[in-house]
Amino acid sequence: QKEVEQNSGPLSVPEGAIASLNCTYSDRVSQSFFWYRQYSGKSPELIMSIYSNGDKEDGRFTAQLNKASQYVSLLIRDSQPSDSATYLCALSGGSNYKLTFGKGTLLTVNP
Amino acid sequence: DAMVIQNPRYQVTQFGKPVTLSCSQTLNHNVMYWYQQKSSQAPKLLFHYYDKDFNNEADTPDNFQSRRPNTSFCFLDIRSPGLGDAAMYLCATSTQETQYFGPGTRLLVL
């Protein structure tokens, strides 16, 4: 049984700061990792995927994966109020294409 | 634009009155999923189809059924909605592991 742990927050950062969101997981066979952003009342939106150890950057977002330590993180640089949302960590490791989600971290960026 | 579409966006039903939610996709993805999400909780997988192969999660109540008549469409049937079934219902599609979500249907049970 895969488990994905996230700090539920809320995580509050000032505008322009770096927001750091963390996720740990229990299953060593997990191969693919995803970060989804979910605004209140809306559906999850994929913002990053990462498959290999190390960093992956896309604009203001950087995903970091460390399979040995079983954690994946998301850094948001120059945080904006529009980044205020719940961030869901998800992982996949099998051939059945199923994702296991964490409960999400609520991020609030204060102007 | 290729996308995942869900209808209706909001559905109000009465306790025990059957309801059907629909999902369509123009992505031509072979896998489709139905999730239930309640407030402040992670999405909970109800079922998924790999092509026409139906896969039911072990803890999905019998009250929930699904149909996939073709690649593009998938339906979620709730035979006798209870108050506890009020939630956001999310449809997603994928070709491999990356899932793309539709906008969701918010179900209210009176």
Side-chain angles (χ1 to χ4, degrees):
Chain A
Q1 178 79 13
K2 295 187 178 72
E3 290 189 358
V4 181
E5 297 290 335
Q6 293 184 256
N7 187 328
S8 62
L11 173 65
S12 183
V13 301
E15 184 174 355
I18 296 174
S20 178
L21 305 161
N22 300 308
C23 173
T24 59
Y25 59 94
S26 61
D27 186 354
R28 287 191 175 272
V29 302
S30 296
Q31 297 293 323
S32 305
F33 304 85
F34 306 89
W35 283 99
Y36 287 84
R37 177 177 62 198
Q38 188 171 27
Y39 293 114
S40 180
K42 304 295 185 181
S43 65
E45 173 192 8
L46 179 69
I47 54 172
M48 290 286 284
S49 59
I50 186 166
Y51 307 99
S52 304
N53 281 326
D55 294 0
K56 179 181 178 182
E57 186 174 321
D58 184 0
R60 295 186 297 111
F61 299 97
T62 299
Q64 299 174 318
L65 175 61
N66 184 323
K67 291 186 179 180
S69 301
Q70 295 176 243
Y71 82 80
V72 57
S73 63
L74 180 70
L75 301 178
I76 307 174
R77 290 181 300 282
D78 188 23
S79 295
Q80 301 296 309
S82 60
D83 295 325
S84 298
T86 295
Y87 289 80
L88 297 165
C89 172
L91 54 88
S92 174
S95 58
N96 57 15
Y97 304 138
K98 289 165 58 172
L99 290 180
T100 301
F101 284 90
K103 292 185 177 180
T105 297
L106 176 62
L107 172 67
T108 300
V109 180
N110 300 306
Chain B
D1 289 340
M3 56 198 311
V4 183
I5 301 163
Q6 290 188 244
N7 285 302
R9 297 291 306 278
Y10 300 91
Q11 177 73 57
V12 181
T13 191
Q14 293 178 333
F15 183 94
K17 184 175 181 181
V19 66
T20 295
L21 310 182
S22 73
C23 177
S24 63
Q25 55 135 339
T26 60
L27 298 163
N28 204 33
H29 286 169
N30 55 351
V31 191
M32 294 186 77
Y33 309 79
W34 279 107
Y35 290 88
Q36 179 193 65
Q37 188 179 27
K38 297 185 177 181
S39 181
S40 301
Q41 296 184 18
K44 178 182 180 297
L45 183 64
L46 297 174
F47 344 81
H48 74 281
Y49 281 91
Y50 189 100
D51 292 324
K52 283 192 173 291
D53 183 21
F54 176 71
N55 298 273
N56 193 34
E57 293 302 296
D59 58 352
T60 298
D62 293 339
N63 195 29
F64 292 86
Q65 305 283 318
S66 184
R67 297 170 281 136
R68 189 180 186 185
N70 54 52
T71 301
S72 300
F73 286 87
C74 196
F75 299 96
L76 172 63
D77 300 308
I78 309 177
R79 294 193 294 186
S80 182
L83 298 179
D85 296 327
M88 173 80 90
Y89 289 88
L90 299 164
C91 175
T93 72
S94 74
T95 51
Q96 295 183 357
E97 291 170 312
T98 304
Q99 294 188 19
Y100 299 93
F101 286 85
T105 295
R106 173 75 64 184
L107 178 68
L108 180 62
V109 181
L110 301 178

PDB file of all heavy atoms in Angstrom, chain B residues 31-62:
ATOM      1  N   VAL B  31      -6.903   5.511 -21.326  1.00  0.00           N
ATOM      2  CA  VAL B  31      -7.283   5.272 -19.933  1.00  0.00           C
ATOM      3  C   VAL B  31      -8.151   6.430 -19.438  1.00  0.00           C
ATOM      4  O   VAL B  31      -7.824   7.598 -19.669  1.00  0.00           O
ATOM      5  CB  VAL B  31      -6.049   5.131 -19.013  1.00  0.00           C
ATOM      6  CG1 VAL B  31      -6.468   4.613 -17.642  1.00  0.00           C
ATOM      7  CG2 VAL B  31      -5.008   4.202 -19.638  1.00  0.00           C
ATOM      8  N   MET B  32      -9.251   6.089 -18.795  1.00  0.00           N
ATOM      9  CA  MET B  32     -10.122   7.095 -18.191  1.00  0.00           C
ATOM     10  C   MET B  32     -10.408   6.712 -16.747  1.00  0.00           C
ATOM     11  O   MET B  32     -10.521   5.524 -16.420  1.00  0.00           O
ATOM     12  CB  MET B  32     -11.436   7.241 -18.973  1.00  0.00           C
ATOM     13  CG  MET B  32     -11.215   7.799 -20.376  1.00  0.00           C
ATOM     14  SD  MET B  32     -12.757   8.143 -21.261  1.00  0.00           S
ATOM     15  CE  MET B  32     -13.267   9.689 -20.489  1.00  0.00           C
ATOM     16  N   TYR B  33     -10.515   7.717 -15.895  1.00  0.00           N
ATOM     17  CA  TYR B  33     -10.655   7.519 -14.458  1.00  0.00           C
ATOM     18  C   TYR B  33     -11.826   8.333 -13.922  1.00  0.00           C
ATOM     19  O   TYR B  33     -12.108   9.428 -14.417  1.00  0.00           O
ATOM     20  CB  TYR B  33      -9.402   8.014 -13.715  1.00  0.00           C
ATOM     21  CG  TYR B  33      -8.077   7.518 -14.222  1.00  0.00           C
ATOM     22  CD1 TYR B  33      -7.488   8.086 -15.349  1.00  0.00           C
ATOM     23  CD2 TYR B  33      -7.387   6.513 -13.554  1.00  0.00           C
ATOM     24  CE1 TYR B  33      -6.256   7.654 -15.803  1.00  0.00           C
ATOM     25  CE2 TYR B  33      -6.150   6.080 -14.006  1.00  0.00           C
ATOM     26  CZ  TYR B  33      -5.594   6.652 -15.128  1.00  0.00           C
ATOM     27  OH  TYR B  33      -4.362   6.224 -15.579  1.00  0.00           O
ATOM     28  N   TRP B  34     -12.438   7.829 -12.869  1.00  0.00           N
ATOM     29  CA  TRP B  34     -13.393   8.602 -12.086  1.00  0.00           C
ATOM     30  C   TRP B  34     -12.905   8.673 -10.640  1.00  0.00           C
ATOM     31  O   TRP B  34     -12.573   7.644 -10.037  1.00  0.00           O
ATOM     32  CB  TRP B  34     -14.788   7.964 -12.095  1.00  0.00           C
ATOM     33  CG  TRP B  34     -15.597   8.270 -13.303  1.00  0.00           C
ATOM     34  CD1 TRP B  34     -15.897   7.428 -14.332  1.00  0.00           C
ATOM     35  CD2 TRP B  34     -16.252   9.506 -13.609  1.00  0.00           C
ATOM     36  NE1 TRP B  34     -16.684   8.054 -15.262  1.00  0.00           N
ATOM     37  CE2 TRP B  34     -16.916   9.338 -14.844  1.00  0.00           C
ATOM     38  CE3 TRP B  34     -16.345  10.747 -12.969  1.00  0.00           C
ATOM     39  CZ2 TRP B  34     -17.665  10.348 -15.447  1.00  0.00           C
ATOM     40  CZ3 TRP B  34     -17.078  11.745 -13.564  1.00  0.00           C
ATOM     41  CH2 TRP B  34     -17.738  11.550 -14.792  1.00  0.00           C
ATOM     42  N   TYR B  35     -12.860   9.909 -10.123  1.00  0.00           N
ATOM     43  CA  TYR B  35     -12.478  10.160  -8.750  1.00  0.00           C
ATOM     44  C   TYR B  35     -13.631  10.853  -8.029  1.00  0.00           C
ATOM     45  O   TYR B  35     -14.389  11.619  -8.621  1.00  0.00           O
ATOM     46  CB  TYR B  35     -11.279  11.104  -8.671  1.00  0.00           C
ATOM     47  CG  TYR B  35      -9.959  10.543  -9.133  1.00  0.00           C
ATOM     48  CD1 TYR B  35      -9.572  10.625 -10.468  1.00  0.00           C
ATOM     49  CD2 TYR B  35      -9.067   9.979  -8.221  1.00  0.00           C
ATOM     50  CE1 TYR B  35      -8.346  10.139 -10.885  1.00  0.00           C
ATOM     51  CE2 TYR B  35      -7.832   9.501  -8.630  1.00  0.00           C
ATOM     52  CZ  TYR B  35      -7.481   9.588  -9.964  1.00  0.00           C
ATOM     53  OH  TYR B  35      -6.257   9.116 -10.371  1.00  0.00           O
ATOM     54  N   GLN B  36     -13.673  10.633  -6.733  1.00  0.00           N
ATOM     55  CA  GLN B  36     -14.534  11.401  -5.836  1.00  0.00           C
ATOM     56  C   GLN B  36     -13.624  12.231  -4.929  1.00  0.00           C
ATOM     57  O   GLN B  36     -12.652  11.693  -4.378  1.00  0.00           O
ATOM     58  CB  GLN B  36     -15.393  10.470  -4.985  1.00  0.00           C
ATOM     59  CG  GLN B  36     -16.304  11.172  -3.996  1.00  0.00           C
ATOM     60  CD  GLN B  36     -16.880  10.205  -2.970  1.00  0.00           C
ATOM     61  OE1 GLN B  36     -16.146   9.636  -2.163  1.00  0.00           O
ATOM     62  NE2 GLN B  36     -18.195  10.000  -3.011  1.00  0.00           N
ATOM     63  N   GLN B  37     -13.941  13.519  -4.785  1.00  0.00           N
ATOM     64  CA  GLN B  37     -13.144  14.353  -3.892  1.00  0.00           C
ATOM     65  C   GLN B  37     -14.058  15.143  -2.978  1.00  0.00           C
ATOM     66  O   GLN B  37     -14.898  15.912  -3.444  1.00  0.00           O
ATOM     67  CB  GLN B  37     -12.221  15.296  -4.663  1.00  0.00           C
ATOM     68  CG  GLN B  37     -11.235  16.026  -3.749  1.00  0.00           C
ATOM     69  CD  GLN B  37     -10.298  16.934  -4.493  1.00  0.00           C
ATOM     70  OE1 GLN B  37     -10.627  17.435  -5.559  1.00  0.00           O
ATOM     71  NE2 GLN B  37      -9.116  17.154  -3.931  1.00  0.00           N
ATOM     72  N   LYS B  38     -13.859  14.960  -1.699  1.00  0.00           N
ATOM     73  CA  LYS B  38     -14.585  15.739  -0.695  1.00  0.00           C
ATOM     74  C   LYS B  38     -13.676  16.830  -0.163  1.00  0.00           C
ATOM     75  O   LYS B  38     -12.453  16.780  -0.342  1.00  0.00           O
ATOM     76  CB  LYS B  38     -15.092  14.822   0.417  1.00  0.00           C
ATOM     77  CG  LYS B  38     -16.093  13.791  -0.095  1.00  0.00           C
ATOM     78  CD  LYS B  38     -16.689  12.972   1.016  1.00  0.00           C
ATOM     79  CE  LYS B  38     -17.732  12.005   0.444  1.00  0.00           C
ATOM     80  NZ  LYS B  38     -18.372  11.187   1.510  1.00  0.00           N
ATOM     81  N   SER B  39     -14.280  17.789   0.488  1.00  0.00           N
ATOM     82  CA  SER B  39     -13.560  18.981   0.913  1.00  0.00           C
ATOM     83  C   SER B  39     -12.335  18.625   1.750  1.00  0.00           C
ATOM     84  O   SER B  39     -12.418  17.813   2.675  1.00  0.00           O
ATOM     85  CB  SER B  39     -14.505  19.876   1.711  1.00  0.00           C
ATOM     86  OG  SER B  39     -13.856  21.046   2.120  1.00  0.00           O
ATOM     87  N   SER B  40     -11.214  19.241   1.389  1.00  0.00           N
ATOM     88  CA  SER B  40      -9.946  19.095   2.114  1.00  0.00           C
ATOM     89  C   SER B  40      -9.409  17.665   2.115  1.00  0.00           C
ATOM     90  O   SER B  40      -8.608  17.301   2.978  1.00  0.00           O
ATOM     91  CB  SER B  40     -10.085  19.580   3.562  1.00  0.00           C
ATOM     92  OG  SER B  40     -10.472  20.928   3.588  1.00  0.00           O
ATOM     93  N   GLN B  41      -9.851  16.865   1.156  1.00  0.00           N
ATOM     94  CA  GLN B  41      -9.349  15.505   1.041  1.00  0.00           C
ATOM     95  C   GLN B  41      -8.697  15.285  -0.315  1.00  0.00           C
ATOM     96  O   GLN B  41      -8.951  16.028  -1.267  1.00  0.00           O
ATOM     97  CB  GLN B  41     -10.480  14.497   1.243  1.00  0.00           C
ATOM     98  CG  GLN B  41     -11.088  14.520   2.633  1.00  0.00           C
ATOM     99  CD  GLN B  41     -12.131  13.434   2.826  1.00  0.00           C
ATOM    100  OE1 GLN B  41     -12.189  12.459   2.083  1.00  0.00           O
ATOM    101  NE2 GLN B  41     -12.967  13.597   3.843  1.00  0.00           N
ATOM    102  N   ALA B  42      -7.867  14.256  -0.397  1.00  0.00           N
ATOM    103  CA  ALA B  42      -7.271  13.883  -1.672  1.00  0.00           C
ATOM    104  C   ALA B  42      -8.337  13.270  -2.584  1.00  0.00           C
ATOM    105  O   ALA B  42      -9.328  12.708  -2.102  1.00  0.00           O
ATOM    106  CB  ALA B  42      -6.145  12.870  -1.435  1.00  0.00           C
ATOM    107  N   PRO B  43      -8.158  13.359  -3.881  1.00  0.00           N
ATOM    108  CA  PRO B  43      -9.061  12.634  -4.781  1.00  0.00           C
ATOM    109  C   PRO B  43      -9.006  11.134  -4.481  1.00  0.00           C
ATOM    110  O   PRO B  43      -7.923  10.571  -4.281  1.00  0.00           O
ATOM    111  CB  PRO B  43      -8.490  12.938  -6.171  1.00  0.00           C
ATOM    112  CG  PRO B  43      -7.710  14.199  -6.001  1.00  0.00           C
ATOM    113  CD  PRO B  43      -7.158  14.144  -4.615  1.00  0.00           C
ATOM    114  N   LYS B  44     -10.174  10.517  -4.477  1.00  0.00           N
ATOM    115  CA  LYS B  44     -10.278   9.085  -4.195  1.00  0.00           C
ATOM    116  C   LYS B  44     -10.708   8.367  -5.467  1.00  0.00           C
ATOM    117  O   LYS B  44     -11.784   8.648  -5.997  1.00  0.00           O
ATOM    118  CB  LYS B  44     -11.288   8.850  -3.070  1.00  0.00           C
ATOM    119  CG  LYS B  44     -11.517   7.386  -2.721  1.00  0.00           C
ATOM    120  CD  LYS B  44     -12.574   7.264  -1.638  1.00  0.00           C
ATOM    121  CE  LYS B  44     -12.835   5.818  -1.251  1.00  0.00           C
ATOM    122  NZ  LYS B  44     -13.362   5.016  -2.358  1.00  0.00           N
ATOM    123  N   LEU B  45      -9.885   7.457  -5.942  1.00  0.00           N
ATOM    124  CA  LEU B  45     -10.187   6.745  -7.179  1.00  0.00           C
ATOM    125  C   LEU B  45     -11.358   5.796  -6.975  1.00  0.00           C
ATOM    126  O   LEU B  45     -11.357   4.991  -6.033  1.00  0.00           O
ATOM    127  CB  LEU B  45      -8.961   5.975  -7.653  1.00  0.00           C
ATOM    128  CG  LEU B  45      -9.088   5.232  -8.978  1.00  0.00           C
ATOM    129  CD1 LEU B  45      -9.323   6.209 -10.133  1.00  0.00           C
ATOM    130  CD2 LEU B  45      -7.844   4.387  -9.238  1.00  0.00           C
ATOM    131  N   LEU B  46     -12.353   5.903  -7.854  1.00  0.00           N
ATOM    132  CA  LEU B  46     -13.514   5.005  -7.817  1.00  0.00           C
ATOM    133  C   LEU B  46     -13.331   3.837  -8.782  1.00  0.00           C
ATOM    134  O   LEU B  46     -13.501   2.674  -8.424  1.00  0.00           O
ATOM    135  CB  LEU B  46     -14.788   5.772  -8.183  1.00  0.00           C
ATOM    136  CG  LEU B  46     -15.192   6.900  -7.253  1.00  0.00           C
ATOM    137  CD1 LEU B  46     -16.386   7.657  -7.827  1.00  0.00           C
ATOM    138  CD2 LEU B  46     -15.521   6.374  -5.865  1.00  0.00           C
ATOM    139  N   PHE B  47     -13.028   4.180 -10.058  1.00  0.00           N
ATOM    140  CA  PHE B  47     -12.765   3.151 -11.076  1.00  0.00           C
ATOM    141  C   PHE B  47     -11.848   3.736 -12.140  1.00  0.00           C
ATOM    142  O   PHE B  47     -11.667   4.940 -12.205  1.00  0.00           O
ATOM    143  CB  PHE B  47     -14.019   2.685 -11.862  1.00  0.00           C
ATOM    144  CG  PHE B  47     -15.336   3.007 -11.307  1.00  0.00           C
ATOM    145  CD1 PHE B  47     -15.912   4.256 -11.477  1.00  0.00           C
ATOM    146  CD2 PHE B  47     -16.048   2.026 -10.636  1.00  0.00           C
ATOM    147  CE1 PHE B  47     -17.169   4.527 -10.977  1.00  0.00           C
ATOM    148  CE2 PHE B  47     -17.302   2.297 -10.143  1.00  0.00           C
ATOM    149  CZ  PHE B  47     -17.862   3.553 -10.313  1.00  0.00           C
ATOM    150  N   HIS B  48     -11.324   2.828 -12.962  1.00  0.00           N
ATOM    151  CA  HIS B  48     -10.686   3.300 -14.173  1.00  0.00           C
ATOM    152  C   HIS B  48     -10.867   2.273 -15.281  1.00  0.00           C
ATOM    153  O   HIS B  48     -11.105   1.093 -15.016  1.00  0.00           O
ATOM    154  CB  HIS B  48      -9.212   3.646 -13.969  1.00  0.00           C
ATOM    155  CG  HIS B  48      -8.283   2.472 -13.835  1.00  0.00           C
ATOM    156  ND1 HIS B  48      -8.136   1.752 -12.666  1.00  0.00           N
ATOM    157  CD2 HIS B  48      -7.436   1.915 -14.717  1.00  0.00           C
ATOM    158  CE1 HIS B  48      -7.236   0.815 -12.836  1.00  0.00           C
ATOM    159  NE2 HIS B  48      -6.798   0.876 -14.069  1.00  0.00           N
ATOM    160  N   TYR B  49     -10.830   2.749 -16.503  1.00  0.00           N
ATOM    161  CA  TYR B  49     -10.905   1.911 -17.692  1.00  0.00           C
ATOM    162  C   TYR B  49      -9.576   1.986 -18.418  1.00  0.00           C
ATOM    163  O   TYR B  49      -9.049   3.066 -18.667  1.00  0.00           O
ATOM    164  CB  TYR B  49     -11.974   2.439 -18.664  1.00  0.00           C
ATOM    165  CG  TYR B  49     -13.389   2.097 -18.302  1.00  0.00           C
ATOM    166  CD1 TYR B  49     -14.152   2.935 -17.511  1.00  0.00           C
ATOM    167  CD2 TYR B  49     -13.980   0.935 -18.794  1.00  0.00           C
ATOM    168  CE1 TYR B  49     -15.465   2.631 -17.205  1.00  0.00           C
ATOM    169  CE2 TYR B  49     -15.294   0.625 -18.490  1.00  0.00           C
ATOM    170  CZ  TYR B  49     -16.028   1.474 -17.694  1.00  0.00           C
ATOM    171  OH  TYR B  49     -17.334   1.172 -17.397  1.00  0.00           O
ATOM    172  N   TYR B  50      -9.047   0.819 -18.754  1.00  0.00           N
ATOM    173  CA  TYR B  50      -7.950   0.755 -19.706  1.00  0.00           C
ATOM    174  C   TYR B  50      -8.569   0.220 -20.988  1.00  0.00           C
ATOM    175  O   TYR B  50      -8.862  -0.967 -21.094  1.00  0.00           O
ATOM    176  CB  TYR B  50      -6.836  -0.160 -19.196  1.00  0.00           C
ATOM    177  CG  TYR B  50      -5.600  -0.072 -20.040  1.00  0.00           C
ATOM    178  CD1 TYR B  50      -4.521   0.683 -19.644  1.00  0.00           C
ATOM    179  CD2 TYR B  50      -5.516  -0.748 -21.263  1.00  0.00           C
ATOM    180  CE1 TYR B  50      -3.385   0.777 -20.417  1.00  0.00           C
ATOM    181  CE2 TYR B  50      -4.396  -0.658 -22.047  1.00  0.00           C
ATOM    182  CZ  TYR B  50      -3.329   0.099 -21.624  1.00  0.00           C
ATOM    183  OH  TYR B  50      -2.211   0.199 -22.412  1.00  0.00           O
ATOM    184  N   ASP B  51      -8.772   1.106 -21.942  1.00  0.00           N
ATOM    185  CA  ASP B  51      -9.602   0.813 -23.105  1.00  0.00           C
ATOM    186  C   ASP B  51     -10.972   0.386 -22.583  1.00  0.00           C
ATOM    187  O   ASP B  51     -11.615   1.119 -21.862  1.00  0.00           O
ATOM    188  CB  ASP B  51      -8.953  -0.240 -24.004  1.00  0.00           C
ATOM    189  CG  ASP B  51      -7.694   0.279 -24.671  1.00  0.00           C
ATOM    190  OD1 ASP B  51      -7.669   1.478 -25.027  1.00  0.00           O
ATOM    191  OD2 ASP B  51      -6.731  -0.498 -24.826  1.00  0.00           O
ATOM    192  N   LYS B  52     -11.445  -0.803 -22.919  1.00  0.00           N
ATOM    193  CA  LYS B  52     -12.743  -1.236 -22.415  1.00  0.00           C
ATOM    194  C   LYS B  52     -12.630  -2.083 -21.143  1.00  0.00           C
ATOM    195  O   LYS B  52     -13.645  -2.544 -20.598  1.00  0.00           O
ATOM    196  CB  LYS B  52     -13.479  -2.026 -23.500  1.00  0.00           C
ATOM    197  CG  LYS B  52     -14.077  -1.139 -24.576  1.00  0.00           C
ATOM    198  CD  LYS B  52     -15.022  -1.926 -25.457  1.00  0.00           C
ATOM    199  CE  LYS B  52     -15.759  -1.015 -26.424  1.00  0.00           C
ATOM    200  NZ  LYS B  52     -16.721  -0.139 -25.720  1.00  0.00           N
ATOM    201  N   ASP B  53     -11.429  -2.299 -20.683  1.00  0.00           N
ATOM    202  CA  ASP B  53     -11.189  -3.111 -19.495  1.00  0.00           C
ATOM    203  C   ASP B  53     -11.514  -2.304 -18.253  1.00  0.00           C
ATOM    204  O   ASP B  53     -10.821  -1.332 -17.930  1.00  0.00           O
ATOM    205  CB  ASP B  53      -9.732  -3.568 -19.485  1.00  0.00           C
ATOM    206  CG  ASP B  53      -9.428  -4.481 -18.326  1.00  0.00           C
ATOM    207  OD1 ASP B  53     -10.370  -5.073 -17.773  1.00  0.00           O
ATOM    208  OD2 ASP B  53      -8.235  -4.600 -17.978  1.00  0.00           O
ATOM    209  N   PHE B  54     -12.563  -2.709 -17.534  1.00  0.00           N
ATOM    210  CA  PHE B  54     -13.051  -1.980 -16.357  1.00  0.00           C
ATOM    211  C   PHE B  54     -12.332  -2.455 -15.105  1.00  0.00           C
ATOM    212  O   PHE B  54     -12.182  -3.659 -14.875  1.00  0.00           O
ATOM    213  CB  PHE B  54     -14.555  -2.224 -16.218  1.00  0.00           C
ATOM    214  CG  PHE B  54     -15.163  -1.617 -14.998  1.00  0.00           C
ATOM    215  CD1 PHE B  54     -15.313  -0.243 -14.883  1.00  0.00           C
ATOM    216  CD2 PHE B  54     -15.603  -2.417 -13.951  1.00  0.00           C
ATOM    217  CE1 PHE B  54     -15.884   0.319 -13.754  1.00  0.00           C
ATOM    218  CE2 PHE B  54     -16.179  -1.860 -12.828  1.00  0.00           C
ATOM    219  CZ  PHE B  54     -16.323  -0.487 -12.728  1.00  0.00           C
ATOM    220  N   ASN B  55     -11.887  -1.483 -14.275  1.00  0.00           N
ATOM    221  CA  ASN B  55     -11.197  -1.809 -13.032  1.00  0.00           C
ATOM    222  C   ASN B  55     -11.857  -1.060 -11.887  1.00  0.00           C
ATOM    223  O   ASN B  55     -11.836   0.173 -11.847  1.00  0.00           O
ATOM    224  CB  ASN B  55      -9.722  -1.413 -13.134  1.00  0.00           C
ATOM    225  CG  ASN B  55      -9.003  -2.166 -14.227  1.00  0.00           C
ATOM    226  OD1 ASN B  55      -8.504  -3.257 -14.018  1.00  0.00           O
ATOM    227  ND2 ASN B  55      -8.984  -1.594 -15.425  1.00  0.00           N
ATOM    228  N   ASN B  56     -12.416  -1.815 -10.976  1.00  0.00           N
ATOM    229  CA  ASN B  56     -13.141  -1.249  -9.851  1.00  0.00           C
ATOM    230  C   ASN B  56     -12.248  -1.257  -8.617  1.00  0.00           C
ATOM    231  O   ASN B  56     -11.604  -2.261  -8.329  1.00  0.00           O
ATOM    232  CB  ASN B  56     -14.381  -2.114  -9.611  1.00  0.00           C
ATOM    233  CG  ASN B  56     -15.362  -1.472  -8.685  1.00  0.00           C
ATOM    234  OD1 ASN B  56     -15.517  -0.267  -8.670  1.00  0.00           O
ATOM    235  ND2 ASN B  56     -16.033  -2.284  -7.894  1.00  0.00           N
ATOM    236  N   GLU B  57     -12.169  -0.133  -7.889  1.00  0.00           N
ATOM    237  CA  GLU B  57     -11.431  -0.142  -6.635  1.00  0.00           C
ATOM    238  C   GLU B  57     -12.200  -0.971  -5.608  1.00  0.00           C
ATOM    239  O   GLU B  57     -13.432  -0.981  -5.583  1.00  0.00           O
ATOM    240  CB  GLU B  57     -11.240   1.274  -6.125  1.00  0.00           C
ATOM    241  CG  GLU B  57     -10.321   2.120  -6.991  1.00  0.00           C
ATOM    242  CD  GLU B  57      -8.942   1.516  -7.154  1.00  0.00           C
ATOM    243  OE1 GLU B  57      -8.227   1.397  -6.149  1.00  0.00           O
ATOM    244  OE2 GLU B  57      -8.611   1.132  -8.293  1.00  0.00           O
ATOM    245  N   ALA B  58     -11.463  -1.640  -4.736  1.00  0.00           N
ATOM    246  CA  ALA B  58     -12.077  -2.579  -3.798  1.00  0.00           C
ATOM    247  C   ALA B  58     -13.078  -1.899  -2.866  1.00  0.00           C
ATOM    248  O   ALA B  58     -14.073  -2.507  -2.461  1.00  0.00           O
ATOM    249  CB  ALA B  58     -10.994  -3.270  -2.974  1.00  0.00           C
ATOM    250  N   ASP B  59     -12.829  -0.624  -2.538  1.00  0.00           N
ATOM    251  CA  ASP B  59     -13.699   0.047  -1.566  1.00  0.00           C
ATOM    252  C   ASP B  59     -14.723   0.959  -2.226  1.00  0.00           C
ATOM    253  O   ASP B  59     -15.369   1.755  -1.547  1.00  0.00           O
ATOM    254  CB  ASP B  59     -12.864   0.821  -0.553  1.00  0.00           C
ATOM    255  CG  ASP B  59     -11.958   1.854  -1.211  1.00  0.00           C
ATOM    256  OD1 ASP B  59     -11.871   1.874  -2.456  1.00  0.00           O
ATOM    257  OD2 ASP B  59     -11.319   2.623  -0.472  1.00  0.00           O
ATOM    258  N   THR B  60     -14.894   0.857  -3.535  1.00  0.00           N
ATOM    259  CA  THR B  60     -15.932   1.646  -4.203  1.00  0.00           C
ATOM    260  C   THR B  60     -17.291   1.019  -3.926  1.00  0.00           C
ATOM    261  O   THR B  60     -17.495  -0.168  -4.200  1.00  0.00           O
ATOM    262  CB  THR B  60     -15.683   1.700  -5.719  1.00  0.00           C
ATOM    263  OG1 THR B  60     -14.431   2.340  -5.965  1.00  0.00           O
ATOM    264  CG2 THR B  60     -16.791   2.463  -6.427  1.00  0.00           C
ATOM    265  N   PRO B  61     -18.227   1.798  -3.377  1.00  0.00           N
ATOM    266  CA  PRO B  61     -19.543   1.222  -3.054  1.00  0.00           C
ATOM    267  C   PRO B  61     -20.278   0.736  -4.294  1.00  0.00           C
ATOM    268  O   PRO B  61     -20.122   1.284  -5.391  1.00  0.00           O
ATOM    269  CB  PRO B  61     -20.282   2.408  -2.404  1.00  0.00           C
ATOM    270  CG  PRO B  61     -19.214   3.346  -1.954  1.00  0.00           C
ATOM    271  CD  PRO B  61     -18.106   3.207  -2.945  1.00  0.00           C
ATOM    272  N   ASP B  62     -21.112  -0.290  -4.106  1.00  0.00           N
ATOM    273  CA  ASP B  62     -21.900  -0.841  -5.214  1.00  0.00           C
ATOM    274  C   ASP B  62     -22.866   0.177  -5.803  1.00  0.00           C
ATOM    275  O   ASP B  62     -23.361  -0.002  -6.919  1.00  0.00           O
ATOM    276  CB  ASP B  62     -22.696  -2.060  -4.726  1.00  0.00           C
ATOM    277  CG  ASP B  62     -21.793  -3.223  -4.372  1.00  0.00           C
ATOM    278  OD1 ASP B  62     -20.646  -3.235  -4.856  1.00  0.00           O
ATOM    279  OD2 ASP B  62     -22.234  -4.112  -3.617  1.00  0.00           O
TER     280      ASP B  62
END
